Amino acid sequence: SQKIEQNSEALNIQEGKTATLTCNYTNYSPAYLQWYRQDPGRGPVFLLLIRENEKEKRKERLKVTFDTTLKQSLFHITASQPADSATYLCALPFSGGYNKLIFGAGTRLAVHP
Amino acid sequence: GAGVSQSPSNKVTEKGKDVELRCDPISGHTALYWYRQRLGQGLEFLIYFQGNSAPDKSGLPSDRFSAERTGESVSTLTIQRTQQEDSAVYLCASSWGREGLGNIQYFGAGTRLSVL
């Protein structure tokens, strides 16, 4: 069955550094991959989508890569700020279900001043 | 409305009671999803509605769980004879539901259910 793995340990970094979060998946080849941000007590908020034929996507301080050979996506936040502290979730469509997503458990990022 | 609205925001109930959770999706979104999120865990898919098609109920954990959606509007998730393990945040999301748009999902703030 499909499986998504994100580092369950929190990532602690200093303000101004680049945060890198990892999402690994197994057992299929998704057409796209998404990243969401979730703050405590709130629903996830969409950040970026990258398709299988794209190697990299950028949006302001965010960058996502998608390596379909390694079955891995990396999510980078450059010049991180304390306001970037949140849980970041990756999501992939279910195999055979383009519109249905399976979410990773998320990685909590804490940016310290 | 401007976003996905869920009510109530918090619900405390006694074991064995039935509860109804409501979701108002973004106007025009044909797809609607329910997820469960236990404390410190990821999102667990429950059910998916797409337009007037039969819903995908493959994620419902037991027959105590059911959901309805009227057309492309409001949805209600019902949990009968609640158990303590049902305690979680129940999240609703909606999307345009069209292939090619990458199925970006817009979430409500969730309903926090506590079963005593």
Side-chain angles (χ1 to χ4, degrees), chain A residues 29-90:
Chain A
S29 299
Y32 62 86
L33 182 149
Q34 299 181 0
W35 285 88
Y36 288 77
R37 168 182 173 145
Q38 187 174 24
D39 291 283
R42 295 179 175 264
V45 174
F46 170 78
L47 295 175
L48 280 168
L49 177 149
I50 186 165
R51 299 188 189 281
E52 61 181 336
N53 60 349
E54 298 175 315
K55 295 291 186 188
E56 182 179 297
K57 192 71 112 20
R58 291 176 186 260
K59 179 183 175 182
E60 298 173 350
R61 295 184 296 110
L62 308 181
K63 184 177 87 170
V64 171
T65 63
F66 194 9
D67 189 324
T68 54
T69 301
L70 290 179
K71 296 191 184 295
Q72 180 181 80
S73 175
L74 298 179
F75 177 81
H76 306 271
I77 306 175
T78 58
S80 59
Q81 304 166 1
D84 296 326
S85 300
T87 296
Y88 292 85
L89 310 170
C90 70

Side-chain angles (χ1 to χ4, degrees), chain A residues 32 34 36 38 51 99-100, chain B residues 33 37 56 100 102-103 105:
Chain A
Y32 62 86
Q34 299 181 0
Y36 288 77
Q38 187 174 24
R51 299 188 189 281
N99 284 336
K100 206 168 83 172
Chain B
Y33 308 81
Q37 187 172 34
D56 179 339
N103 189 35
Q105 296 190 8

Side-chain angles (χ1 to χ4, degrees), chain B residues 17-44:
Chain B
K17 300 281 190 184
D18 297 352
V19 295
E20 279 191 0
L21 313 180
R22 177 186 168 107
C23 174
D24 277 281
I26 292 173
S27 178
H29 280 189
T30 62
L32 186 147
Y33 308 81
W34 284 98
Y35 296 90
R36 178 169 70 180
Q37 187 172 34
R38 291 197 166 107
L39 189 63
Q41 298 188 21
L43 277 65
E44 177 187 358

Side-chain angles (χ1 to χ4, degrees), chain B residues 15-19 63-64 79-83 86:
Chain B
K15 179 181 171 181
K17 300 281 190 184
D18 297 352
V19 295
D63 59 9
R64 296 187 295 106
I79 308 174
Q80 295 179 311
R81 305 181 303 281
T82 51
Q83 304 294 313
D86 299 333

Side-chain angles (χ1 to χ4, degrees), chain B residues 33-62:
Chain B
Y33 308 81
W34 284 98
Y35 296 90
R36 178 169 70 180
Q37 187 172 34
R38 291 197 166 107
L39 189 63
Q41 298 188 21
L43 277 65
E44 177 187 358
F45 166 78
L46 297 178
I47 188 168
Y48 159 44
F49 295 89
Q50 172 62 62
N52 293 318
S53 302
D56 179 339
K57 304 179 183 180
S58 59
L60 295 179
S62 77

